[in-house]
Amino acid sequence: MSEPLFQRVALIGIGLIGSSLARVMAREKLAGEIVISTRSEATLKRAEEIGLGDRYYLDAGKAVEGADLVIACVPVGASEAIARQIAPHLKTGAIVTDVGSVKNAVIKAFKPHMPEGVHFVAGHPIAGTEYSGPDAGFASLFESRWCVLTPDEDADEQAVAKLRTFWERCGSNVEIMNSQHHDLVLAVVSHLPHIIAYNIVGTADDLETVTKSEVIKYSASGFRDFTRLAASDPTMWRDVCLNNKEAILEMLSRFSEDLSALQRAIRWGDGDALYSLFTRTRGIRRDLIDAGQESPEPNFGRQNSQGEPAQ
Ligand code: NAP
């Protein structure tokens, strides 16, 4: 039998992302041993019941002892506390990484605490769902999805190469990017859409002239598609907003300007401007489908309970 890629992997945090990693690592035999740590007894017990790892600890420091790879799978705002907790227990030569949706702030939180001889390489799998916790994960989550690694200029090349291999074996396509650029790109493609969704769903909920039952009843007309994003984990998204503040504010001001232009086109009956924008955006969806990032099925391939295409 071939050697696993890492002898011992420690997962700190075992929610959607951590438990998906545990599952794919077991399936692909990427780790000789999987050690799991999380802060609450309830989550740790659940991870053990599902059988996600080989050993289980509430103490993150204990969990990383002797690990060749440590992956922090916690909300971005918990990064510094985790870095402090694990630092004295890390083995020389260990690779430490994370999966956080923001990179600059995570690097600032981790790097100062990493001991000499430990290689920190930040990472972000662009894959997820609106569900949380150890039951939400699945082994194919990362399949054909991008994983962005944002190593510093002084990062150890072998550690970066090994982490790239790890994510490729998890099914991902790997891209190396500067952390600042990552945060700007993600502000456009992920953070802004989530903020817009949280806002629109909140607005609909606040409207007094439209009843809640009407919002739910007629949701298939577009609203429903925003609710998936707006159902995402509140802790995770609070931390993303607080830790990618500048890029998000920059994108929000661009968004507000474009929204004002759209508002103006509607007010002045500028059909050409509306038609031209809507044609351009329709093309973007076609590009997503061509790139294999979205299903060509009508309505995202949704089916009703009879297995027929849903409205
Ligand atoms: P999740 O399902 O909510 O799981 C979070 C895990 O972190 C749990 O084990 C939780 O422990 C632990 N945790 C929460 N707050 C903590 C704190 N203050 N200190 C220490 N541990 C804490 O979250 P997730 O969706 O896997 O997200 C984890 C990371 O992946 C986040 O940084 C997120 O930005 C990133 N990410 C998420 C997605 C997505 O779509 N969800 C996609 C890509 C990247 P307990 O349950 O024991 O409290």
Side-chain angles (χ1 to χ4, degrees):
M1 239 176 68
S2 63
E3 282 280 295
L5 191 60
F6 291 97
Q7 284 309 320
R8 187 180 295 172
V9 178
L11 292 171
I12 312 301
I14 194 74
L16 170 72
I17 302 291
S19 73
S20 295
L21 277 172
R23 288 170 168 103
V24 69
M25 278 197 281
R27 189 188 72 189
E28 298 300 317
K29 302 187 172 52
L30 300 181
E33 187 183 31
I34 299 174
V35 185
I36 288 173
S37 174
T38 190
R39 63 176 177 169
S40 77
E41 275 180 32
T43 304
L44 196 67
K45 184 162 168 273
R46 186 62 196 139
E48 196 164 0
E49 280 165 5
I50 308 171
L52 292 172
D54 301 295
R55 286 188 287 127
Y56 302 86
Y57 296 98
L58 283 174
D59 182 343
K62 272 219 164 67
V64 303
E65 275 170 13
D68 313 288
L69 175 66
V70 175
I71 314 177
C73 306
V74 295
V76 169
S79 301
E80 185 166 12
I82 293 293
R84 276 181 198 277
Q85 248 174 296
I86 63 174
H89 305 274
L90 292 166
K91 160 176 141 172
T92 305
I95 299 173
V96 177
T97 188
D98 78 304
V99 295
S101 308
V102 172
K103 295 278 55 91
N104 233 1
V106 166
I107 294 171
K108 281 200 184 118
F110 265 93
K111 261 203 108 179
H113 301 285
M114 293 298 100
E116 192 69 37
V118 167
H119 311 298
F120 179 74
V121 182
H124 177 204
I126 318 280
T129 74
E130 65 277 32
Y131 295 105
S132 309
D135 286 285
F138 49 99
S140 60
L141 178 65
F142 309 109
E143 215 134 296
S144 303
R145 297 280 164 238
W146 286 99
C147 178
V148 180
L149 300 182
T150 61
D152 276 359
E153 276 168 16
D154 60 353
D156 181 85
E157 277 177 29
Q158 278 184 345
V160 177
K162 200 159 179 194
L163 199 57
R164 172 191 274 275
T165 304
F166 172 81
W167 279 107
E168 286 172 349
R169 302 258 313 259
C170 290
S172 293
N173 303 314
V174 176
E175 183 105 343
I176 307 276
M177 206 184 274
N178 162 293
S179 61
Q180 230 126 8
H181 190 64
H182 166 279
D183 287 358
L184 202 63
V185 172
L186 269 291
V188 187
V189 299
S190 170
H191 307 168
L192 189 61
H194 277 84
I195 290 165
I196 292 168
Y198 279 122
N199 192 54
I200 200 167
V201 174
T203 302
D205 192 46
D206 290 341
L207 281 180
E208 281 159 10
T209 45
V210 180
T211 66
K212 202 169 254 182
S213 65
E214 282 172 315
V215 168
I216 292 168
K217 187 169 162 189
Y218 301 120
S219 67
S221 48
F223 181 74
R224 184 174 65 179
D225 294 337
F226 285 103
T227 61
R228 188 190 73 77
L229 292 183
S232 300
D233 188 70
T235 306
M236 169 182 160
W237 284 98
R238 176 202 63 195
D239 284 8
V240 167
C241 291
L242 296 178
N243 288 281
N244 197 20
K245 187 171 162 178
E246 270 144 45
I248 290 176
L249 288 177
E250 164 73 23
M251 289 308 150
L252 271 174
S253 68
R254 289 286 296 267
F255 172 79
S256 304
E257 275 177 34
D258 292 345
L259 190 62
S260 298
L262 188 55
Q263 198 173 350
R264 200 180 152 81
I266 295 170
R267 187 182 308 286
W268 294 103
D270 187 349
D272 289 347
L274 297 175
Y275 189 82
S276 144
L277 173 66
F278 301 163
T279 306
R280 185 154 58 92
T281 55
R282 185 179 230 193
I284 291 173
R285 176 149 180 91
R286 283 203 207 98
D287 292 346
L288 282 186
I289 293 168
D290 292 346
Q293 295 287 317
E294 180 55 287
S295 153
E297 298 283 313
N299 203 5
F300 311 107
R302 278 194 186 104
Q303 296 189 334
N304 64 21
S305 53
Q306 280 83 48
E308 295 155 347
Q311 292 181 334

